[in-house]
Structures are given as structure tokens and as C-alpha cells.
Amino acid sequence: MHYDDKNKATEKAKNLTKIGIEKVRNNKPLETIETPIGKRVLVIGGGIAGIQAALDLGDAGYEVHLVEKNATIGGRMAQLSRTFPTNDCAACILGSKMAAIPKNKNIKLSNYSEIEKIEGTIGNFNVTIRKKPTYVHADACVSCGDCVAPCPVSLKDEMQWGVTKRKSIYLPIDFAVPNKYLIDGDKCLNIKAQKKTGEPSKVCRLCEKACHQGAIDFSMKAEKEEFIVDTIIVATGHDVFDATRKPEYGYGKYENVMIAPEVERVIVHKGEGTPTIDMGERIAFIQCVGSRDEQIGREYCSRVCCMYATKLSQLIKSMANVNGENKDIYVFYTDMRTFGKGYEEYYKATQRMGVKFVRGRPAEVIEDSVTKKLIIKVEDTLNNIIIESEFDKVVLSVGMQLSEGGNEIAEILKLPKSEDGFLQEAHPKFRPVDTSKDGIFIAGTAQGPKDIPDSVAQASATAARAMRLMNQGKITEEPLKAFIETDLCDGCELCINSCPPNAITMQNGKVVVNPVMCKGCGMCIASCHADAIDLNMYTNRQMLAEVEAALKDKKEDERIVLIFANDMCGYKLADSVGTAKKAYSDAIRIIKVPSTSRITPQLMLQAFSMGADGILLADCEIKSSDFAGSIETAINYVDKVKNILTEIDEDPERVMIFQFATVMLPKFVALMNQMSDIAYKNKPISDKNKEIIHKNISKWLFEK
Amino acid sequence: MKIPYYPGCTLKSTAKHFEDSAIESAKKLGIEFVELPRWNCCGVVASLADDDIMHHLAPVRNMIRVLEMNRDGLVKNEKRLLTLCSMCYSTLKRSNQRVNELIDDLDVLNDFMYKEEVNYDGSVKIVHFLEILKEMGFDKIKESVTKSLENLNVAAYYGCKLLRPKEIGIDNSEVPIIFEDFISAISAKPVDWRNKSKCCGSFLTVDNKDVVVELGYSILTNAQKSGADIIVTTCPLCAYNLDNRQKNIKEKYPEFKEIPVVYFTQLMALAFGLSKEVTGFDGNYIDPVKLLKSKNIKV
Amino acid sequence: MIKRVKIKSSNRDFLKKVETLSGEDITVCDRCGVCTGSCPLTIEMEISPSNIMKMVQLGQEDVMDYNSMWVCSTCNYCTARCPRGLDVSKVTEALRQIKLRQSFDKIDIDKIPKEELRELPQIALIGAFRRLTS
């Protein structure tokens, strides 16, 4: 806004109009980009999140292929006793969801299967899965269970966290879906022998003899299946922290130290009347094992442990009350994070039952070698005392981490992970279930620790997000995309690494841009020494023409500072300067760009060689993962130009980059004026230096 | 192999038997300790205040000596400095880490020591004898054992300085095994016990011997309950607090049964069949010979 | 009577001083108590290590009136276990230094009995003089 000098203001207005005209003059006709997309979805992971997403999509008429690596779906929720804060039996509420999967004619379930390979992009993901052999024909097996008794191999049941045993031929859990028996190929004597010799074996075929249906088939082989989907939902869940990594708590060494998932199974079996582990009279819960701990590289909070420890202590106490037993339960916590709906009330109810909550994080657990009881030494930080007490059982509330399967899928799909090791969402607030890859969504504990309500909510959210893309049969986008001048491309491949969504690939010796994956940031442009890659709506020619128009008629006493402002933040801020009627220097010319990384060092140097007195790049303060790495790239470019200016004895402060939040109006105005001051303080760049820059751009930027 | 060796003050006086048994045992393994010329006291405790440069001077001077040893051909390309006393190990190593992190402080130190012929460049590595033994391979130690100690249940007392802070630890701070592996290598039986790295009280023994008595009692009785016949240590201060202070422990706890505390190199020398002068058991306060005789081990 | 404390801005100076001397981010401590549970010297301390951290956080200079900082043997058990990665022994050293640098000696050589002095190995004496005297 230039209140003081109306003539100057008019001149500037004319200049700005010229800039706009040059941009438009260099426009070429563009069409919206349309990509066809079908209705096929791959859901990886059959836990509660995967199940919910599959059901939502199946009910909406989409074709779902649900792939689960275990023999049964249900995931971690199937291993719980009851769920907070309602104390609903997990198997009951989950069971009906699980049963709905095979009933839904739009859902195809591939259990006991793993993803081998996924290639391609949205609308065309080529998936290869490998179904492991169960050695039991599902269509013949009637789940009678006669095969179990004769089996000689007894093993710890992993589904039951080792609290009970199973045989080598087994039903994963009584409410398993599919409800079919299978043989553990790593532990079955016959199959082990078969694998060694490569020949059919007769070492032990007792189950085969016992089966009236003839369902058992030791010759079964793994099967591969290939199919194409349009979108993918990753719901691979979590593993729990390996408590042996905290040796001071003695898990794995002391028999009476347990982890919380084991206690879930003890409670389930006690409810069924099956005796398993006697929890004794005095039980201690230690919170934050594997969470909030820099010593083992797990700084984050696992979100559910406060609640599940409260739940387990509540359940143990109430079961004891029913049986007339006495239990002394202590929960040693650092914070009680009971934030959800009904959670605080649940915590209070547990306190009312007489469970004692002590604020202190135990340093170590010591075992009495004779009684095998455990002594915990802990500071009650609210009471300023040190408690040394004996317990019958110590339960470690272990935290969550990305599952092994999740890690594998992240590798296959090249999904980025957050600092906490979980899969990273596209934007923490506004795109919590998208990933930076179009068409791939994440839900449940794969994205981060959370409880069941949040997992289900996220799952339905991914279904909605996927449907949003697939519903209209095609994806339409603005043509703000990079394109290749194929004749000029020399196949050096430098642009490929510069593209955050990996939209550029090599084909027949030249690069090709996938228009669906390209986000139009322009980071690739600077990497090309052959001018072979360019950006629609912001072509090199357009940018240069705009700069030229701004500087062509510059007078001797005039100074011109170019501000390249990015669409999302910088340009919006510039607009608001106008609507707020703030005054600033008349030297400023504002030019819009999609991202400041579009402004190549070449362009900045060309601008200086044409007489620019200053350049300011105005970008976002927020981290937008669409253009991941763009700010770092732009800062890099600015540093390059600063160095070059210093070398030719020009003021490096002439070029600057700043990250703005859209509320930083005063800062924006201050910076504009600051740049203008620098421009006026210095003489314009000498003709000699302009020549030098013009002649050496290629040499400086592209020669090693 | 020739390696620069830093004795530290106490190893030349009240803990001479530590040094003697170490040097002779090392010889048997082909390791020659080349004593640092003109070494000075390391200062015993590590300098912990962040603004302190002064107290790093003493350790750094010793590291300069290592560089000089290399320059003068006393050792060839050997920038490791071996210590026996774990207190010296900790102090030297922590100082070394600090001056490597803060190059400016190192410059100040080098400037201050302008009379020194060599500037310290941060290249020396501080190692404890146990690390050298592990690197050599405990099997080699097994080969040199001529006297079996198989009846001897030994509790390894790491003390705090070998394992903490984690940046300088010679093994995992919660479940270390290096000392136990050593004990097995010299044919004795290592005992698994809880208080292996519980602090003995350290310098508090000077004016607060009551607390040292309590700590010592707790450590020693735990070793005894876990089945130990004898305790090995690697620090003269721990040895004093656990060995000599047993008379004070006995005063407060009359039912306390004494247990010998020896340096690990003394047991190593014993296992290698070295003489009485080398094993130096008369230097220990609680007499180990009686116990060893009861285990049919000839001294 | 329960202690009443007025937290003034000047209390920040004390915290800053201890933070600079120790190099530790004391404001990050949330008093979980692992340091206290690990410390073998709590049998002798008047206030616990985690209490020391919290008092320093709030700028309560009377933390130095208690014996705790003098009976820390710098064994680093707390350091190895702190879930926030803090080194409590450096904080106690900072507190000791604040006192010692005012020409204060915690131990008086003359008060140590002669027989003891004769028996104590030099490593004990030097260590004690370094940590407990100016």
C-alpha cells in the first residue's frame, strides 16, 4: 500500500500488471487430469481396524480383499479379556464383527497369508500374496477337534501368551474365523521331517488317522495369488514391548514377573473355570514399561496402559470379591492418563474398590531366591517416602510398538515412519488416516498407540477416504503437474531422487512423470541441467518472463525486491497485508509460486543478473508433508546463492528465505521493509557483476 | 604386545599387590605393561561441573604422555592407555570424552600446558584391563591356567565406575557378563548376585564411615547369601571399603562372617601358578589364604 | 507446620545457575522417582534425589540445607536409569560446587582421627577432598 506517493503507486501498478500479462501470455492450454479408478480395495490386517474398514467398504458395495497373516482374524482384541470402560467381554463384541466378514459377499478373506509384493500406484496396485499351507483342507474340516488328542507335540500357545498350551494341530482360538484347524508347519514332527528330506514322511500321522473327514493333507503347498486393487488400507496393528529389554524388572528371569497381556488370558481362563496361574494375594502393576523411557529409545506414551492396568486390577479385585478372596493390588504409575469417555469415572470406581495407586516409578524388582516372591523398591513421590514391599506377582504394563508385519509392509510400500516408529500420517491434524502416498491409508495401532474406539473410528475414516476417491470412478485433478520435454532429457536420473512422492520414474532411457502422484511442488526443476523438466502453470519460461517484466524498466534510482511467495502461506499473507491496508516499501514485487522450492538457484541468479536488488522467499512454517523436504531444499538453494553473492563481493543478505505462519502479518511487513532497506543501502549490482553472473550460472551450479 | 600402562597413585602404595599380580599375569599372556613416564595423579574423581576445565588438566597430561611414548618409540602405534584401577579408568575416560566433545576447552588446556612438547589431539583411548583380556579372547586365558580354581565360588564386584555412566561402561549396565566370563576363564565359578555394582560408598569412607559400613554389609551379605566364597574387585577404594572396613562392619553387626576380598589379578596370578610374592595375598586385610586352603587351592 | 513457599521470579536465577553448572535440562524432570529407587545412598539422605530435582526446578535454594547433596557418592545409578536421560549426579555436583566455591569445606582434615588418616588409602582421601572441600 503506497499512500504517500500516488505517482509511484501508479508506476508500481503498471509494473505489476506487466508481470501478470507476461505470465498469462506464456500460458498454454491445459486440461484437468482424469485417472480412472475402480472399486477394489486391499485391506492388510484383520484386527478390529481392518475388520471395521472391510465391513464398511463391503457394505457400501466395494470389492474388498482382506489379507491376514494369522490363521484367524481378530488381531490383538481377540487376546483381551474385557475391554474398558464398559468391561464388555472382548470375544463377545468382537466375535460378531468377525462373523460378519465371511457373510459379506463383497469381502474375500485370505487368512494365513502374507503380502509378498505390491507394485504400482493408485488405481493400479499389483498385489502378490502368499498363502501359507495349513495342511488341513478348510472345506473338509468341520472343527470337531478329534485330531487334537492324539497329537504328541505340546507347545506354548502364543495366542494365549503362553499361559496355556496347544498342540501342533490346533484351532487358533475357539471363536476363530475361519473356524478351522491347522497344523503348525514349524513344529509338526511329520512336516519337519518332510521339509528335511523333501519326501513325504510317515514319522507321525496320528491326526490324519483321527480325522473322519479326511481333511488333513501333508502334501499341501503354499499358494501364490496375484490381483489388482485401486486403494489400500494398512491396518497391521502392534506388537508389545519386549520386556526383557528392561532387565532390572526381571521379566524372563523371575517366574513371578508377568506382562499384562498374559494377565488378560489368566483372567479369561479364570472366568471359564480353567485354573492357570495363581495370581497370589499381593499384586503390583508397574506402569510405563517400554514407554516414556529414553534409556530404551521409547520416548512416547503408549496411551492405553494406564487404562488397561486399571481394568486388570478392577477385574482381579471383583473376581476375588465374588470368591471371597482378598487381594492387595498396587498400581505404580508416573501419571494416570485416563482421558477418554468414561475413563476418569472408571479410574475412580477402581480406586473405590480399594486398588491402591502409588505415584512412583519402580527402579528395580528383586526376587527372594527362596520364596520367589518379588520385592519392589519405589519412591512414593507424593508422600516423600521410599516403599520396599513384597509382592506375589509383579505385572509389567508393556507399551506398544509397530508390529513386525507393519515394518514389513512399510518396506514393501515405502511408507514413511514417524519418529516414534509408527507409520506416519500425511498430516497430523487434517489428514490423520491418509499417508503421503495417494490411495494408501492407515488405521489402528499401526499409526500409533490407541484404544479400540479410536481404532474403529480411524478404520471407518479410512473407508470413507477410500470411497471418496473411488466413488466417482475417476480421480480429477488440476493440471498443476511437472512434465518432461522428452527430447531434452538425457536420462541422468537426478530428478528422480528430488521428488518426495516418487512420481518420477525411468522408462526407456528417459524419465516420465506420473501425473496422479505429482503434487506440483517444482522441486525437480532445479535438479535438471538440461531444462528437460518443467511445471505446468509455473513454467521456466513463465517465471523468467515475470522476472524480466518486473525488472526491464527499472530506473537508475529505483530498487526492486522480488518476493516469491508460496500459495499456501506466503501468498495468503501477502494478500492479507493488502486487505489490512498495511504500508510497505514500493520496491516490492510479489510473485506467486506453488512452493518456494520451485525457485531454482538458476532463476535467482538470473534475476540478479537482470538487475534485481533483493529476493525474499516466503514459505510455510508448518510442515506440509505434501511437499516433504521442500523447505530444506529451498533453504539449500538460498544458501547456494548466498555463497555465490559473497564470492563476487555482493551482500549475501540480498537473498533470504523465511517461514511464515499466516498470523505473522507484522513480521511479513517488517521483512519486506528490511529487504527494501538492504536494497536501498547497497548500490545496485554492478554491470560487471551482472555479466559475471550471467556467464557463470551453468558453471557454478552444474559443474562439480 | 606392548601397551601404555597407567598405574595411579594407590597401585604404587597400598595396592602394590594389585599391580604386581597384574603385571606378571599379563606377561604370561604376552602383554607387556609399559608404564607411562612422568605420569601424574588423575584426580580420582571425574570433574562433573560443566564449567570446569581446570580439573581435566591432570587426566589430559597423562594422555599427552601416551602420545610421547609413541613418539619416542616406547610403544609402536599404540594409543590405548590401560588402567587397572576402575576409578582411574572412569576419571580418565570421562575427561577424554569431554575434551573430545569440547574442542575449545581442549585448546585452552593445550595452551595452558604450553611447556608440554606435544599437544593433545583427543586420539588416546582409555581401556580397562578386562577389556583387553576380552579382546584377546578369554580362551587364551584358559590356556594359561595351571592351577584349577574350580571349587572357588567367586562374586565379581564391578563397583559403579566400570559400568556407569553408560557412555563409558565396559559392558551392559544392568546385566554385565564380562567379569563373570573372566572368572570362568580362570577356571573359577562365577556367582550370580544382585549387588554386583551397588556403590560401596567410595570417598564417603573418609568422614562418614557409618554409611560405608551399611553399604558394605549389604553388599557382602548379599554375596555370601548368593553362595560366594570370595569377592574380586578392580578398585583400591572398593577394596578398602569392602575389605578393611569389615572390622567396622563386625563392630556393628557381630554376627557378620568375614569374607575375603581380593583383586581380580591376584586370582589370575594364582590360577597361572605364580609365586606367593606375585599373588601378594598378605596385602589383603581379610586373609584369603585360609579360605583358599579350605578349598584345596595351594597358594 | 507445613512449609509455605512463595515462588518469585528470582527463583529462576537459582535454577538457571544449577542448570548451567550441571549442563542438565532440569526442567525436563517430572519426578518419576526412578533415581530415588535406584540410589543406594538414600539410607543416609534427608531428602530424596528426585526431591532435590524438584526443589531445584522451583528454585528453592533451601535444597542445599539438607545433607543429601553431600552424601551422593556419584555412583551414577540414577544416570543409568533416568527415563528422561538426566544425570542427577551432575546436579548434586552443581549444588556442591555452589557451596564449595564460597570457600566452604564440608570436611575438616583436623577432625579426622590420626589412626584413620594413616590407614586410609590416598585414593579415598583425594576423592573426598576433591568432592567435599574447596
Side-chain angles (χ1 to χ4, degrees), chain A residues 266-337:
Chain A
V266 169
I267 289 175
V268 168
H269 287 287
K270 190 157 168 88
E272 290 169 359
T274 327
T276 49
I277 297 176
D278 179 5
M279 295 297 287
E281 208 180 289
R282 288 175 60 84
I283 306 168
F285 283 83
I286 298 182
Q287 300 303 105
C288 305
V289 178
S291 311
R292 304 181 69 184
D293 191 340
E294 275 187 37
Q295 297 294 342
I296 37 122
R298 295 269 190 279
E299 276 192 56
Y300 57 88
C301 163
S302 287
R303 200 173 164 105
V304 295
C305 327
C306 286
M307 276 308 287
Y308 80 50
T310 308
K311 170 191 80 178
L312 291 174
S313 46
Q314 210 191 83
L315 294 174
I316 295 173
K317 207 66 159 109
S318 54
M319 277 174 142
N321 287 343
V322 163
N323 295 331
E325 297 165 351
N326 181 42
K327 297 264 184 229
D328 251 337
I329 307 182
Y330 288 76
V331 175
F332 294 105
Y333 68 93
T334 307
D335 290 291
M336 277 310 285
R337 299 186 162 171

Side-chain angles (χ1 to χ4, degrees), chain A residues 2-22:
Chain A
H2 311 291
Y3 302 103
D4 43 356
D5 193 329
K6 291 220 168 87
N7 286 332
K8 254 197 171 162
T10 311
E11 288 309 304
K12 179 175 168 180
K14 283 191 200 162
N15 194 227
L16 287 174
T17 316
K18 284 206 182 107
I19 296 175
I21 290 172
E22 284 311 306

Side-chain angles (χ1 to χ4, degrees), chain A residues 68-139:
Chain A
E68 164 59 48
K69 81 181 214 189
N70 288 325
T72 175
I73 53 176
R76 293 285 174 217
M77 190 174 166
Q79 296 176 300
L80 299 177
S81 56
R82 292 179 175 273
T83 55
F84 55 76
T86 50
N87 283 351
D88 287 333
C89 145
C92 309
I93 57 176
L94 178 61
S96 49
K97 288 255 180 207
M98 285 164 68
I101 293 281
K103 285 208 200 100
N104 194 310
K105 59 179 168 26
N106 287 325
I107 302 178
K108 176 174 176 185
L109 171 61
S110 290
N111 67 319
Y112 216 43
S113 306
E114 297 196 20
I115 307 281
E116 265 204 2
K117 201 164 52 165
I118 300 182
E119 287 173 333
T121 64
I122 181 175
N124 194 22
F125 288 112
N126 286 286
V127 183
T128 310
I129 64 170
R130 180 175 169 272
K131 190 170 162 102
K132 298 176 278 190
T134 58
Y135 308 102
V136 175
H137 286 290
D139 41 11

